[in-house]
Amino acid sequence: VQLQASGGGLVQPGGSLRLSCATSGFALHHYTIGWFRQAPGKEREGVSCFSSSDGSTYYKDSVKGRFTVSRDNAKNTVYLQMNNLKPEDTAVYYCATDFEIRGARYCDNYHYTRWDYWGQGTLVTVSS
């Protein structure tokens, strides 16, 4: 099982970035992908989830209306489109999967320590 996050960078407040999570070694269409972030000195937190089995999604309240998660079946890749970025979005972003979670509706209460497979992080810096 492999996940590889990419697409981070430096962007001004109000700008946009699209993160990619390329997956391999498992059947993406059966499982849920979570996006997480960790800011300096803070605990890792869940940002969004996409459940490939039913197409359901989850977003943390602070990113609702600004972030959109989607999937490209042909590329086995899940994307996180981030618009109207704010300085408080600055963090290292990670994607992860776990074969026990069955749907994005469970993501809110599924602590990050329970996710088994992680990609390396990609740094997002929002600054003027």
Side-chain angles (χ1 to χ4, degrees), residues 74-91:
K75 296 182 178 180
N76 287 324
T77 299
V78 176
Y79 301 100
L80 184 67
Q81 177 68 43
M82 307 186 296
N83 298 329
N84 191 22
L85 283 161
K86 303 176 180 181
E88 52 264 41
D89 294 318
T90 295

Side-chain angles (χ1 to χ4, degrees), residues 57-78:
T57 58
Y58 158 81
Y59 297 98
K60 179 180 175 64
D61 284 347
S62 62
V63 307
K64 284 181 181 177
R66 301 189 297 122
F67 290 12
T68 303
V69 64
S70 63
R71 179 191 66 184
D72 184 326
N73 286 334
K75 296 182 178 180
N76 287 324
T77 299
V78 176

Side-chain angles (χ1 to χ4, degrees), residues 7-92:
L10 173 64
V11 63
Q12 292 186 343
S16 298
L17 282 174
R18 188 179 77 161
L19 305 184
S20 300
C21 178
T23 71
S24 63
F26 66 102
L28 176 62
H29 59 278
H30 284 318
Y31 299 110
T32 297
I33 297 294
W35 282 100
F36 299 81
R37 66 186 181 189
Q38 188 165 16
K42 294 188 177 181
E43 189 177 42
R44 191 168 300 188
E45 62 178 4
V47 175
S48 180
C49 279
F50 183 91
S51 176
S52 294
S53 60
D54 61 8
S56 60
T57 58
Y58 158 81
Y59 297 98
K60 179 180 175 64
D61 284 347
S62 62
V63 307
K64 284 181 181 177
R66 301 189 297 122
F67 290 12
T68 303
V69 64
S70 63
R71 179 191 66 184
D72 184 326
N73 286 334
K75 296 182 178 180
N76 287 324
T77 299
V78 176
Y79 301 100
L80 184 67
Q81 177 68 43
M82 307 186 296
N83 298 329
N84 191 22
L85 283 161
K86 303 176 180 181
E88 52 264 41
D89 294 318
T90 295
V92 177

Side-chain angles (χ1 to χ4, degrees), residues 3 7 16 19 53 55 58 61 76 93-94 100 117 120-122 124:
L3 301 96
S16 298
L19 305 184
S53 60
Y58 158 81
D61 284 347
N76 287 324
Y93 283 71
Y94 302 86
E100 295 299 319
Y117 302 100
Q120 86 292 356
T122 185
V124 173

